[in-house]
Amino acid sequence: MCQTDSPALSRVCEDFCFLGQLLGKALIDNRLLDITFSEPFYRWLLSTHQKMGLAAIKDFDTVLHNSLQQIVKFALKKDEVEKLHDLKEDERRQLLEQIRDDEGGCIEDLCLDFILPGTDIELVPGGADLLLSIQNVEEYLCAVVNYTLREGVRKQMEAMRHGFSLVMPLSNLQ
């Protein structure tokens, strides 16, 4: 999924382009800027953003990160069951259905669908109709991380990189 073009997004991208120009000019002039950026921001600037994972979300959204960590616990328990190679398929399915969190709840009790938490953005086509389950927990986590760190900010960060490159080559950052 990617962002929908809109006048508001165009304006935000213009602002990010200006920010890139400002950063580039500050580097050329050897000026300090009293601005704090998250690690994911720097990774985008350096084109290493594809390597980011769940931990990077903690830098700018601790609430989302903590919520996802609870879901990760389900994924880890599922992985433990999947590693039991001597199980029959029905035994494996039964063990997967019995996975619970520390409070005794199953993943379906979270009542989550493939919508980015706190928004109405579908993480996958038809995401509003796709409920989170133990079978698709990894796909859900990957989709949230991908949208939050990559697809959801791609246009803004590309605009910032473009603005930077108008002032100085991005290769100078390597």
Side-chain angles (χ1 to χ4, degrees), residues 8-153:
L9 179 60
S10 295
R11 176 68 184 136
V12 168
C13 287
E14 288 173 13
D15 292 345
F16 271 79
C17 183
F18 176 75
L19 177 62
Q21 291 172 317
L22 178 71
L23 292 175
K25 182 68 172 148
L27 282 174
I28 288 172
D29 293 346
N30 202 24
R31 296 202 182 267
L32 293 177
L33 297 177
D34 190 17
I35 304 174
T36 304
F37 296 112
S38 65
E39 181 182 337
F41 182 91
Y42 289 113
R43 287 179 160 266
W44 263 99
L45 191 60
L46 298 171
S47 281
T48 60
H49 58 281
Q50 294 299 334
K51 299 175 185 174
M52 292 187 291
L54 176 61
I57 293 175
K58 189 175 185 178
D59 282 350
F60 59 89
D61 193 338
T62 55
V63 173
L64 177 60
H65 178 265
N66 291 340
S67 296
L68 293 174
Q69 284 299 108
Q70 296 302 312
I71 298 170
V72 166
K73 291 178 185 178
F74 285 103
L76 292 173
K77 289 178 182 180
K78 176 187 177 187
D79 191 48
E80 289 175 13
V81 171
E82 296 290 338
K83 288 181 181 177
L84 301 173
H85 298 293
D86 57 339
L87 293 176
K88 295 178 184 170
E89 191 57 39
D90 59 330
E91 293 173 318
R92 182 180 319 280
R93 188 181 67 251
Q94 189 175 27
L95 284 175
L96 289 173
E97 290 172 0
Q98 293 173 358
I99 292 176
R100 299 290 183 260
D101 63 13
D102 297 337
E103 288 79 37
C106 65
I107 197 164
E108 288 82 2
D109 292 343
L110 298 174
C111 299
L112 293 173
D113 48 24
F114 276 65
I115 300 287
L116 185 67
T119 73
D120 59 356
I121 299 169
E122 289 188 338
L123 296 167
V124 297
D129 300 320
L130 181 59
L131 296 177
L132 175 62
S133 69
I134 199 65
Q135 287 77 28
N136 62 20
V137 63
E138 294 93 351
E139 292 84 0
Y140 176 82
L141 289 167
C142 288
V144 171
V145 169
N146 184 55
Y147 192 87
T148 304
L149 296 174
R150 289 180 273 286
E151 294 306 316
V153 296

